[in-house]
């Protein structure tokens, strides 16, 4: 019990960060990709920090209008321009097209930040409305887990090329999970809920979100296991509780409470992702779990389960067929 309380406390109220974006070294011909649904977080800290270090950054988003506005703001801030990549993580064919567009422009990818996502949309909209994923998957698992996994695996050859051309011989994949993984429960993934149906509808949208955040970790861990020999390292992060649009579906009271008592500015959320993606200290970590602010933490049952990870990998492979 005390251990469970401590791991929540230390992530909700983390100590002062020892890492900041100023510590990032300059890059030569390095390519970065950001699948991001929350342009607020990407714009505030992550992308400017990389652009200022001469990185070539692809900002992947479903909304061209919002992304291009963000890119223009970034150009004003940094004098450098990110590149828009149209990406809808809720559509496997659209993910394939985005990957093919990237491949047509670049032969190597050095760091992939899997940072898009959706949280707690109303269950009835998930089931009946416009938010239902086009291929019939639960929106949260389909977007947060399957969409990112498909993109990553579409770009494996480019990541391998990135590893070969990196000074340390490694390409990095940073997978965004959440403290919500600790609220997921055994059997960790309820396979009958990944597509729409009675079993999924019996779960709360919050429980489905927690399940998807475990899924991010499970994919990250298995990717690390399978591609370490290819120079690809994969780690998962909890970026922290942040004041972003991700919580827009919460009640006004919950949004107010979170904002006042447990949430931080978006620029703080970028620290852990940037450290894992760029710091030499994280280069030897693979299959790791990082928490706010930029600290490596130990795995537990809620963040690691080899049997489920293998099963998820096989499930993802089956879903990708034909796309």
């Amino acid at each position: 019990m005390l251990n469970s309380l401590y791991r929540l406390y230390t992530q909700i109220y983390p100590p002062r960060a020892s890492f900041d974006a100023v510590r990032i070294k300059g890059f030569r011909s390095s390519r970065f990709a950001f699948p991001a649904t929350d342009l607020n977080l990407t714009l505030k800290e992550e992308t400017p920090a990389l652009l200022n270090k001469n990185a070539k950054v692809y900002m992947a988003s479903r909304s061209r209008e919002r992304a291009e506005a963000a890119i223009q703001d970034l150009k004003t801030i940094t004098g450098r321009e990110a590149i828009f990549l149209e990406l809808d993580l809720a559509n496997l064919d659209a993910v394939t097209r985005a990957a093919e567009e990237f491949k047509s422009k670049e032969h190597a990818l050095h760091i992939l930040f899997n940072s898009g996502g959706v949280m707690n949309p109303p269950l009835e909209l998930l089931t009946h409305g416009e938010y239902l994923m086009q291929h019939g998957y639960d929106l949260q698992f389909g977007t947060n887990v399957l969409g990112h996994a498909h993109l990553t695996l579409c770009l494996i050859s480019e990541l391998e090329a990135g590893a070969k051309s990196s000074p340390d011989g490694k390409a990095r994949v940073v997978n965004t999970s959440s403290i919500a993984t600790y609220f997921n429960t055994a059997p960790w993934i309820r396979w009958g809920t990944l597509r729409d149906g009675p079993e999924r509808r019996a779960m709360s949208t919050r429980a489905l979100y927690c399940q998807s955040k475990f899924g991010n970790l499970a994919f990250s861990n298995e990717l690390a296991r399978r591609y370490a020999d290819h120079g690809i390292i994969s780690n998962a992060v909890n970026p922290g509780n942040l004041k972003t649009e991700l919580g827009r579906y919460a009640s006004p009271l919950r949004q107010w409470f979170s904002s006042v008592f447990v949430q931080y500015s978006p620029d703080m959320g970028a620290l852990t992702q940037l450290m894992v993606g760029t710091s030499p200290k994280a280069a030897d970590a693979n299959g790791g779990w990082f928490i706010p602010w930029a600290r490596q933490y130990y795995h537990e049952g809620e963040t690691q389960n080899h049997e489920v990870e293998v099963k998820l990998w096989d499930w993802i492979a089956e879903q990708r067929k034909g796309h």
Side-chain angles (χ1 to χ4, degrees):
M1 174 63 76
L2 290 177
N3 178 61
S4 297
L5 292 174
Y6 173 76
R7 72 188 182 189
L8 296 178
Y9 180 85
T10 192
Q11 295 184 55
I12 295 173
Y13 303 107
R16 183 186 299 272
S18 60
F19 174 86
D20 60 63
V22 175
R23 299 188 181 204
I24 298 175
K25 295 182 179 180
F27 301 102
R28 285 186 185 176
S29 303
S30 293
R31 272 68 171 172
F32 297 74
F34 277 99
T37 51
D38 195 337
L39 294 176
N40 187 33
L41 174 58
T42 304
L43 173 61
K44 284 285 186 180
E45 185 73 17
E46 290 182 76
T47 307
L50 296 172
L51 288 173
N52 282 329
K53 301 295 182 177
N54 300 316
K56 187 174 184 180
V57 179
Y58 284 80
M59 182 181 291
S61 174
R62 183 178 58 186
S63 172
R64 176 180 290 274
E65 181 180 0
R66 293 189 63 206
E68 289 183 344
I71 287 169
Q72 185 57 48
D73 288 342
L74 287 166
K75 188 174 182 180
T76 300
I77 295 169
T78 68
R80 297 177 62 84
E81 192 166 357
I83 302 166
F84 172 64
L85 185 67
E86 187 171 358
L87 171 66
D88 182 357
L89 288 166
N91 184 318
L92 292 176
D93 291 328
V95 173
T96 302
R97 288 193 295 272
E100 291 301 322
E101 182 179 350
F102 182 87
K103 290 168 181 279
S104 72
K105 297 176 179 178
E106 307 289 348
H107 77 282
L109 175 60
H110 299 88
I111 304 180
L112 173 61
F113 291 90
N114 284 326
S115 56
V118 61
M119 182 174 74
N120 302 345
L123 192 63
E124 62 272 17
L125 292 180
L126 250 168
T127 304
H128 302 293
E130 63 184 11
Y131 297 95
L132 182 63
M133 191 174 180
Q134 292 191 25
H135 298 297
Y137 303 100
D138 170 68
L139 181 68
Q140 294 186 91
F141 204 90
T143 301
N144 299 352
V145 183
L146 181 57
H148 284 114
H150 183 47
L151 178 66
T152 303
L153 295 172
C154 282
L155 295 173
I156 281 293
S157 295
E158 286 64 38
L159 286 164
E160 290 174 331
K164 291 176 181 177
S165 59
S166 293
D168 63 1
K170 297 174 182 178
R172 306 190 197 193
V173 181
V174 182
N175 301 287
T176 301
S177 182
S178 165
I179 196 173
T181 191
Y182 292 111
F183 298 96
N184 190 42
T185 57
W188 312 120
I189 294 178
R190 292 160 176 80
W191 303 99
T193 67
L194 304 189
R195 286 186 179 270
D196 190 32
E199 188 175 352
R200 189 193 69 80
R201 294 183 208 133
M203 289 182 69
S204 69
T205 186
R206 176 66 179 171
L208 290 165
Y209 176 71
C210 295
Q211 176 175 257
S212 77
K213 293 293 99 180
F214 173 83
N216 290 135
L217 269 154
F219 173 73
S220 181
N221 293 341
E222 191 63 17
L223 180 68
R225 189 176 296 114
R226 292 181 183 243
Y227 281 92
D229 291 343
H230 297 247
I232 299 171
I233 62 174
S234 170
N235 292 291
V237 303
N238 166 20
N241 297 324
L242 310 173
K243 297 177 182 178
T244 71
E245 295 179 1
L246 192 61
R248 62 189 178 276
Y249 293 113
S251 68
L253 178 60
R254 184 167 184 172
Q255 289 187 48
W256 172 84
F257 179 88
S258 297
S259 178
V260 172
F261 295 105
V262 300
Q263 288 184 334
Y264 299 84
S265 64
D267 60 316
M268 293 301 295
L271 290 178
T272 307
Q273 292 168 313
L274 284 171
M275 190 277 277
V276 176
T278 67
S279 173
K281 290 184 178 180
D284 293 329
N286 193 25
W289 173 227
F290 290 80
I291 64 172
W293 308 117
R295 296 177 291 157
Q296 188 166 8
Y297 205 59
Y298 57 87
H299 276 296
E300 299 177 89
E302 294 89 347
T303 64
Q304 188 177 58
N305 185 297
H306 180 57
E307 181 179 352
V308 177
E309 289 159 9
V310 172
K311 188 172 181 179
L312 175 63
W313 187 273
D314 292 341
W315 180 85
I316 290 169
E318 188 65 28
Q319 311 315 304
R320 296 182 66 229
K321 290 180 180 178
H323 301 288

